[in-house]
Amino acid sequence: MPFPPPPRTPSGPRRRTLLASAAGAALLVGCSSGSGDSGSDGSGGGPSVTERARARAARDSAGLVARYDAVLAVHPALAGRLSPLRAEVVRHVTAFGGVRERSASPSASASAAASPSPSAPASGAAASAAVPAGERDALVDLAAAERALADQRIAALVDVPGELARLLASVAAAGAAHAYLLTEGTR
């Protein structure tokens, strides 16, 4: 008795495969770095490349937390959906050596990012004004910020040494997953 043919599967790679491939490629780039963590810019007493990259990554993640806070301030009904993602971004700030927030409330953030750049701070009122009035549009904007920051971190991998490159790759993959989760219900 012959076996029936397998069911037709969609052509092309699955989303999970693409995310895993991007993260794996980023890790390979980070692992191939031959420089140590003590690389400096040659200015003598200035911060090393690693220290500057860590500081920037912490600032960028803090700016992203501020964007989450701004969206939550305008759209409190999204708290159930955004709180777990925001908590992950707060952990990213800590992983890069940034200061962990004392409170998880949207008003606890010292600044909010209103511009498309995740690292550009603005006043809380300006950030609230910059958040779209519609929940769907607010989620799409937040996903775009996550995606842009993930792309920026992937591009930065070639400039940093191994351990930081692995951390950047991991956080970039998490950002790409956040972007997917934010837009999943809006299609």
Side-chain angles (χ1 to χ4, degrees):
M1 166 188 236
F3 290 102
R8 171 101 169 99
T9 58
S11 63
R14 300 174 83 177
R15 285 184 205 118
R16 230 180 277 156
T17 305
L18 290 174
L19 284 174
S21 298
L27 285 174
L28 287 176
V29 170
C31 292
S32 66
S33 176
S35 64
D37 275 0
S38 62
S40 75
D41 59 1
S43 64
S48 70
V49 172
T50 302
E51 291 166 347
R52 286 192 314 266
R54 274 187 183 276
R56 179 181 174 137
R59 269 192 324 272
D60 290 346
S61 290
L64 193 55
V65 169
R67 288 181 75 101
Y68 272 94
D69 289 344
V71 170
L72 286 169
V74 175
H75 302 289
L78 293 174
R81 185 172 182 181
L82 297 182
S83 293
L85 301 177
R86 181 194 178 279
E88 283 295 317
V89 177
V90 169
R91 282 192 279 277
H92 297 162
V93 173
T94 304
F96 288 120
V99 178
R100 180 183 285 267
E101 292 183 7
R102 288 185 294 273
S103 170
S105 70
S107 62
S109 177
S111 65
S115 71
S117 169
S119 62
S123 72
S128 294
V131 174
E135 288 182 358
R136 181 184 184 280
D137 293 335
L139 290 174
V140 168
D141 282 356
L142 198 52
E146 283 271 17
R147 199 173 296 111
L149 187 53
D151 291 345
Q152 175 184 327
R153 287 179 170 156
I154 292 292
L157 290 176
V158 297
D159 299 327
V160 295
E163 189 60 33
L164 181 56
R166 287 185 283 279
L167 179 59
L168 277 173
S170 176
V171 173
H178 289 180
Y180 169 75
L181 291 171
L182 289 166
T183 58
E184 179 180 354
T186 60
R187 293 180 189 209

